Amino acid sequence: MPRATTWLRLVVAASFLAALAGCASAPRVAPQRSALAHWSPSPNFNARKAQVIVLHHTSIGDAEASLRVLKTRNSQGEVSAHYLIEMDGRIDQLVDDGERAWHAGASRWGDMTDLNSSSIGIEIDNDGHSPFTQPQIDALVRLLADLTTRLGIPRTAVVGHGDIAPGRKDDPSVLFPWGTLARYGFGLWFDTPLTPAPPGFDSLAAMRLVGYDVSNPRAAIIAFHRHYRAMETDTLDETDAAILYSLQRKLMAPSQ
Ligand SMILES: [Zn+2]
């Protein structure tokens, strides 16, 4: 039965080719995207795994202008972020969670020296001088819950661009409500009422433990104040010591 054999061979070969084509077109890993966001891809990224979430304000203009810049370049070069949160709380996703977006630049947090390789970047549409909108904060809280759950990022590992690049970056601005975010369980925050730090407590060493690069102490203190005191002064006081004492005890406590 030569004709039937030929037909059978053709079917087998076709199935094999179809399987190969299936393999070739299948993604390397499943896309990691938020169901809360509108997929609006930027071509500017590399592969990596996230351990931290970095928050920014755009100070670009409006969301449309921000989306355009985050898919092309700014005056410094090509830039992107994983997410943009618009004024009305709409969330755009520009880069897959599994890929490395280009939002942090020269940066350090703890032992991490290239935050683009280890973080999710979230831009918030804001001019740097105005309060963040309630819909933006609501959307951010929902997105942080989604990201920390899906990607296994610790809920405390949420920082600002200004925290990881002291002296170079100051976003999100001093108006960003870190305390509100903490009440939702995101970011490292101190317990109240504050307990005075013991005599001889080393505030700078505690800042280093939290993650700050203290090689330029003045810049690090301003970044710490912006985040924890909603001010941008450059000298440490007893309240700072008490806050850092609380943060240090939380970081040193055995995990439960
Ligand atoms: Zn930034």
Side-chain angles (χ1 to χ4, degrees):
M1 310 278 283
R3 293 174 79 179
T5 307
T6 304
W7 179 82
L8 188 63
R9 277 189 188 139
L10 278 173
V11 168
V12 170
S15 314
F16 182 66
L17 283 174
L20 267 186
C23 282
S25 62
R28 185 170 40 81
V29 290
Q32 294 178 291
R33 292 171 199 160
S34 176
L36 303 175
H38 306 268
W39 177 239
S40 183
S42 169
N44 302 341
F45 64 84
N46 321 101
R48 69 94 180 87
K49 166 134 178 57
Q51 303 171 56
V52 181
I53 297 169
V54 179
L55 307 183
H56 306 255
H57 67 228
T58 52
S59 62
I60 288 174
D62 56 16
E64 194 182 336
S66 298
L67 281 171
R68 195 163 54 244
V69 169
L70 292 168
K71 295 179 186 184
T72 54
R73 57 192 302 121
N74 63 15
S75 57
Q76 312 290 309
E78 293 167 318
V79 292
S80 60
H82 295 89
Y83 295 93
L84 171 71
I85 300 181
E86 301 190 21
M87 292 282 187
D88 62 0
R90 173 189 161 110
I91 305 170
D92 305 293
Q93 181 164 7
L94 297 90
V95 175
D96 189 290
D97 297 332
E99 307 284 8
R100 176 183 183 273
W102 305 343
H103 58 97
S107 50
R108 174 182 277 272
W109 188 247
D111 291 333
M112 292 177 272
T113 53
D114 172 20
L115 271 289
N116 278 340
S117 293
S118 54
S119 69
I120 293 284
I122 301 176
E123 291 277 359
I124 306 169
D125 180 20
N126 176 278
D127 62 7
H129 308 289
S130 308
F132 295 83
T133 70
Q134 191 59 48
Q136 284 179 317
I137 300 305
D138 293 343
L140 177 60
V141 166
R142 284 187 286 120
L143 182 57
L144 291 175
D146 171 46
L147 289 170
T148 51
T149 302
R150 271 190 308 113
L151 306 180
I153 299 173
R155 290 168 70 98
T156 50
V158 182
V159 297
H161 199 187
D163 295 314
I164 63 167
R168 194 176 69 82
K169 292 291 177 181
D170 62 1
D171 64 306
S173 81
V174 73
L175 297 175
F176 184 78
W178 289 105
T180 301
L181 217 58
R183 281 197 290 281
Y184 285 102
F186 297 106
L188 181 68
W189 203 246
F190 52 89
D191 291 329
T192 50
L194 286 168
T195 306
F201 180 76
D202 187 340
S203 289
L204 270 186
M207 282 177 57
R208 190 184 303 114
L209 180 70
V210 169
Y212 287 96
D213 173 6
V214 298
S215 57
N216 177 342
R218 181 174 176 275
I221 292 166
I222 291 171
F224 171 78
H225 277 169
R226 185 185 306 118
H227 187 128
Y228 287 99
R229 305 276 312 265
M231 62 187 198
E232 294 180 294
T233 53
D234 63 358
T235 47
L236 291 169
D237 61 18
E238 288 180 3
T239 303
D240 295 319
I243 290 171
L244 285 160
Y245 182 47
S246 174
L247 298 179
Q248 177 174 296
R249 278 179 306 175
K250 288 190 158 191
L251 290 168
M252 303 292 275
S255 52
Q256 307 186 358

